[in-house]
Amino acid sequence: DQQVKQNSPSLSVQEGRISILNCDYTNSMFDYFLWYKKYPAEGPTFLISISSIKDKNEDGRFTVFLNKSAKHLSLHIVPSQPGDSAVYFCAATGNNRKLIWGLGTSLAVNP
Amino acid sequence: KAGVTQTPRYLIKTRGQQVTLSCSPISGHRSVSWYQQTPGQGLQFLFEYFSETQRNKGNFPGRFSGRQFSNSRSEMNVSTLELGDSALYLCASSPLGVESDTQYFGPGTRLTVL
Protein backbone atom coordinates (compact mmCIF):
# COMPACT_ATOMS: atom_id res chain seq x y z
CA ASP A 1 0.00 0.00 0.00
CA GLN A 2 1.69 3.16 -1.22
CA GLN A 3 1.28 5.86 1.39
CA VAL A 4 3.02 8.37 -0.86
CA LYS A 5 1.99 8.34 -4.50
CA GLN A 6 3.48 10.01 -7.51
CA ASN A 7 0.99 9.13 -10.17
CA SER A 8 2.98 10.42 -13.13
CA PRO A 9 5.98 8.20 -13.85
CA SER A 10 7.30 10.71 -16.35
CA LEU A 11 6.92 14.30 -17.46
CA SER A 12 8.32 16.17 -20.44
CA VAL A 13 8.60 19.97 -20.50
CA GLN A 14 10.14 22.58 -22.78
CA GLU A 15 13.07 24.58 -21.49
CA GLY A 16 11.90 27.86 -19.95
CA ARG A 17 8.40 26.59 -19.15
CA ILE A 18 7.03 25.52 -15.79
CA SER A 19 7.39 21.94 -14.54
CA ILE A 20 4.77 20.77 -12.06
CA LEU A 21 5.35 17.49 -10.24
CA ASN A 22 2.58 16.12 -8.09
CA CYS A 23 2.46 13.95 -5.02
CA ASP A 24 -0.44 12.57 -2.97
CA TYR A 25 -0.29 10.97 0.46
CA THR A 26 -2.74 8.97 2.49
CA ASN A 27 -1.39 9.12 6.04
CA SER A 28 -2.73 12.13 7.94
CA MET A 29 0.06 11.70 10.52
CA PHE A 30 2.65 12.90 8.03
CA ASP A 31 3.73 16.41 8.96
CA TYR A 32 6.92 16.99 7.04
CA PHE A 33 7.41 16.60 3.32
CA LEU A 34 10.51 16.64 1.18
CA TRP A 35 11.48 16.56 -2.46
CA TYR A 36 14.66 14.91 -3.63
CA LYS A 37 16.24 14.85 -7.06
CA LYS A 38 18.19 11.88 -8.38
CA TYR A 39 20.56 11.66 -11.30
CA PRO A 40 21.58 8.25 -12.70
CA ALA A 41 24.37 6.54 -10.76
CA GLU A 42 24.06 9.03 -7.89
CA GLY A 43 22.16 9.02 -4.62
CA PRO A 44 19.14 11.32 -4.15
CA THR A 45 19.91 14.95 -3.39
CA PHE A 46 17.72 17.04 -1.13
CA LEU A 47 15.88 19.80 -2.99
CA ILE A 48 13.27 21.45 -0.80
CA SER A 49 11.00 20.65 2.12
CA ILE A 50 7.84 21.90 3.74
CA SER A 51 6.35 21.53 7.17
CA SER A 52 2.63 20.91 7.59
CA ILE A 53 2.25 24.28 9.31
CA LYS A 54 2.99 25.97 6.00
CA ASP A 55 1.29 25.82 2.63
CA LYS A 56 4.15 27.11 0.54
CA ASN A 57 7.92 27.14 0.58
CA GLU A 58 10.10 28.74 -2.02
CA ASP A 59 13.78 28.38 -2.84
CA GLY A 60 14.93 30.05 -6.02
CA ARG A 61 13.32 28.38 -8.99
CA PHE A 62 11.73 25.71 -6.80
CA THR A 63 8.45 26.11 -4.93
CA VAL A 64 6.59 23.44 -3.02
CA PHE A 65 2.88 23.81 -2.30
CA LEU A 66 1.05 21.79 0.33
CA ASN A 67 -2.71 21.27 0.43
CA LYS A 68 -3.34 19.39 3.67
CA SER A 69 -7.07 19.00 3.20
CA ALA A 70 -6.47 17.29 -0.13
CA LYS A 71 -3.34 15.50 1.13
CA HIS A 72 -1.56 16.77 -1.92
CA LEU A 73 1.70 18.53 -2.58
CA SER A 74 3.32 19.78 -5.72
CA LEU A 75 6.74 20.95 -6.78
CA HIS A 76 6.94 23.81 -9.27
CA ILE A 77 10.12 24.50 -11.18
CA VAL A 78 10.18 27.84 -12.98
CA PRO A 79 11.82 28.27 -15.41
CA SER A 80 12.76 24.67 -16.21
CA GLN A 81 16.29 24.04 -17.41
CA PRO A 82 17.81 21.02 -19.18
CA GLY A 83 19.95 20.37 -16.08
CA ASP A 84 16.73 19.79 -14.14
CA SER A 85 16.22 16.54 -16.05
CA ALA A 86 16.28 13.88 -13.35
CA VAL A 87 14.01 11.65 -11.29
CA TYR A 88 12.16 13.57 -8.58
CA PHE A 89 11.07 11.80 -5.43
CA CYS A 90 8.49 13.01 -2.97
CA ALA A 91 8.93 11.80 0.61
CA ALA A 92 6.96 12.24 3.80
CA THR A 93 7.59 11.66 7.47
CA GLY A 94 5.91 12.00 10.83
CA ASN A 95 6.94 11.61 14.44
CA ASN A 96 8.56 8.22 13.87
CA ARG A 97 11.08 9.85 11.52
CA LYS A 98 10.69 7.10 8.93
CA LEU A 99 10.86 8.59 5.48
CA ILE A 100 8.20 7.14 3.19
CA TRP A 101 8.96 7.65 -0.47
CA GLY A 102 6.98 7.88 -3.67
CA LEU A 103 8.12 5.93 -6.71
CA GLY A 104 9.44 9.02 -8.44
CA THR A 105 8.67 11.07 -11.53
CA SER A 106 11.19 11.23 -14.32
CA LEU A 107 11.39 14.79 -15.62
CA ALA A 108 12.80 15.53 -19.05
CA VAL A 109 13.41 19.18 -19.91
CA ASN A 110 13.87 19.57 -23.63
CA PRO A 111 16.04 22.36 -25.05
CA LYS B 1 33.29 18.22 3.91
CA ALA B 2 33.50 14.88 2.18
CA GLY B 3 30.15 13.39 1.26
CA VAL B 4 28.67 10.05 2.20
CA THR B 5 30.72 7.21 0.79
CA GLN B 6 29.60 3.66 0.17
CA THR B 7 31.68 0.63 -0.65
CA PRO B 8 31.69 -1.33 -2.77
CA ARG B 9 29.86 0.44 -5.59
CA TYR B 10 28.99 -2.77 -7.40
CA LEU B 11 28.68 -6.32 -6.17
CA ILE B 12 27.66 -9.62 -7.74
CA LYS B 13 26.73 -12.53 -5.52
CA THR B 14 24.92 -15.83 -5.90
CA ARG B 15 21.85 -17.06 -4.09
CA GLY B 16 22.51 -18.27 -0.57
CA GLN B 17 25.61 -16.16 -0.06
CA GLN B 18 25.83 -13.31 2.37
CA VAL B 19 27.02 -9.77 1.76
CA THR B 20 28.24 -6.82 3.81
CA LEU B 21 27.93 -3.26 2.59
CA SER B 22 29.70 -0.32 4.15
CA CYS B 23 28.75 3.32 4.62
CA SER B 24 30.84 6.22 5.89
CA PRO B 25 28.67 9.20 6.84
CA ILE B 26 29.56 12.85 6.59
CA SER B 27 31.90 13.82 9.39
CA GLY B 28 29.92 14.83 12.46
CA HIS B 29 26.72 13.11 11.38
CA ARG B 30 25.44 10.65 13.94
CA SER B 31 22.43 9.19 12.16
CA VAL B 32 22.77 6.68 9.35
CA SER B 33 19.80 5.25 7.48
CA TRP B 34 19.71 2.48 4.90
CA TYR B 35 17.30 2.17 1.98
CA GLN B 36 16.66 -0.41 -0.70
CA GLN B 37 15.70 0.90 -4.12
CA THR B 38 14.07 -1.32 -6.72
CA PRO B 39 12.21 -0.23 -9.87
CA GLY B 40 8.84 -1.49 -8.71
CA GLN B 41 8.99 -0.51 -5.05
CA GLY B 42 10.95 2.70 -5.08
CA LEU B 43 12.97 3.54 -1.97
CA GLN B 44 12.12 1.33 0.97
CA PHE B 45 13.41 2.18 4.43
CA LEU B 46 15.50 -0.59 5.97
CA PHE B 47 16.75 0.79 9.29
CA GLU B 48 18.28 3.77 11.02
CA TYR B 49 21.18 3.84 13.44
CA PHE B 50 22.02 6.60 15.85
CA SER B 51 24.94 6.50 18.28
CA GLU B 52 25.50 2.79 17.61
CA THR B 53 21.88 1.88 18.36
CA GLN B 54 19.20 0.84 15.93
CA ARG B 55 16.55 3.48 16.41
CA ASN B 56 14.11 2.60 13.65
CA LYS B 57 13.39 -0.39 11.51
CA GLY B 58 11.44 -0.98 8.29
CA ASN B 59 9.51 -4.04 7.23
CA PHE B 60 12.30 -6.29 6.06
CA PRO B 61 13.03 -9.88 7.12
CA GLY B 62 15.64 -10.69 9.71
CA ARG B 63 18.12 -11.60 6.96
CA PHE B 64 18.74 -7.86 6.74
CA SER B 65 20.76 -6.52 9.63
CA GLY B 66 23.08 -3.68 10.35
CA ARG B 67 25.29 -2.06 12.87
CA GLN B 68 26.96 1.24 13.57
CA PHE B 69 30.40 1.79 14.98
CA SER B 70 31.60 4.42 17.42
CA ASN B 71 32.88 6.56 14.55
CA SER B 72 29.34 6.50 13.05
CA ARG B 73 30.39 4.29 10.15
CA SER B 74 27.74 1.72 9.42
CA GLU B 75 27.56 -1.69 7.84
CA MET B 76 24.60 -3.55 6.46
CA ASN B 77 24.54 -7.31 6.14
CA VAL B 78 22.23 -9.50 4.11
CA SER B 79 22.41 -13.23 4.73
CA THR B 80 21.12 -16.08 2.58
CA LEU B 81 20.74 -13.87 -0.46
CA GLU B 82 17.70 -14.24 -2.69
CA LEU B 83 17.23 -13.14 -6.28
CA GLY B 84 14.79 -10.48 -5.09
CA ASP B 85 17.52 -8.82 -3.04
CA SER B 86 19.02 -7.45 -6.24
CA ALA B 87 18.70 -3.71 -5.80
CA LEU B 88 20.46 -0.44 -5.24
CA TYR B 89 21.24 -0.03 -1.54
CA LEU B 90 21.49 3.56 -0.43
CA CYS B 91 22.89 4.93 2.76
CA ALA B 92 22.01 8.39 4.06
CA SER B 93 23.43 10.36 6.94
CA SER B 94 22.10 13.30 8.88
CA PRO B 95 23.35 15.24 11.88
CA LEU B 96 20.78 14.17 14.44
CA GLY B 97 18.22 12.15 12.56
CA VAL B 98 15.37 14.40 13.63
CA GLU B 99 12.39 14.96 11.38
CA SER B 100 13.61 18.25 9.92
CA ASP B 101 17.15 17.01 9.30
CA THR B 102 18.23 16.82 5.71
CA GLN B 103 19.44 13.38 4.76
CA TYR B 104 22.52 13.24 2.59
CA PHE B 105 22.77 10.19 0.39
CA GLY B 106 25.72 8.23 -0.83
CA PRO B 107 25.92 6.97 -4.41
CA GLY B 108 24.68 3.53 -3.44
CA THR B 109 25.86 -0.04 -3.82
CA ARG B 110 24.38 -1.92 -6.76
CA LEU B 111 23.89 -5.53 -5.65
CA THR B 112 23.13 -8.20 -8.22
CA VAL B 113 22.16 -11.66 -7.01
CA LEU B 114 22.47 -14.45 -9.58
Side-chain angles (χ1 to χ4, degrees), chain B residues 11 13 36-39 64 81-89 109-114:
Chain B
L11 205 47
K13 292 283 188 178
Q36 180 195 66
Q37 185 185 13
T38 55
F64 292 81
L81 284 165
E82 300 177 359
L83 294 179
D85 297 333
S86 294
L88 179 68
Y89 289 88
T109 294
R110 172 73 63 185
L111 172 65
T112 302
V113 182
L114 303 176

Side-chain angles (χ1 to χ4, degrees), chain B residues 6-18:
Chain B
Q6 291 186 246
T7 56
R9 291 293 310 276
Y10 301 92
L11 205 47
I12 299 175
K13 292 283 188 178
T14 56
R15 277 183 300 174
Q17 287 187 308
Q18 68 95 26

Side-chain angles (χ1 to χ4, degrees), chain A residues 16-86:
Chain A
R17 306 295 290 268
I18 183 171
S19 295
I20 300 177
L21 296 97
N22 293 304
C23 178
D24 296 295
Y25 62 97
T26 58
N27 190 337
S28 57
M29 299 303 291
F30 289 149
D31 58 9
Y32 196 73
F33 305 88
L34 308 94
W35 285 93
Y36 278 79
K37 179 169 74 171
K38 186 179 186 301
Y39 293 116
E42 294 182 14
T45 306
F46 171 75
L47 202 53
I48 193 169
S49 63
I50 188 167
S51 162
S52 60
I53 61 173
K54 291 183 161 186
D55 54 18
K56 177 182 173 182
N57 189 24
E58 195 171 350
D59 183 2
R61 296 185 298 114
F62 302 91
T63 303
V64 56
F65 295 91
L66 174 63
N67 182 334
K68 279 187 295 183
S69 60
K71 294 192 179 71
H72 175 84
L73 63 155
S74 60
L75 173 69
H76 292 210
I77 306 174
V78 184
S80 302
Q81 300 173 353
D84 296 329
S85 298

Side-chain angles (χ1 to χ4, degrees), chain B residues 4-9 21-24 34 89-92 105-109:
Chain B
V4 178
T5 58
Q6 291 186 246
T7 56
R9 291 293 310 276
L21 312 181
S22 181
C23 171
S24 292
W34 287 90
Y89 289 88
L90 291 160
C91 161
F105 283 82
T109 294

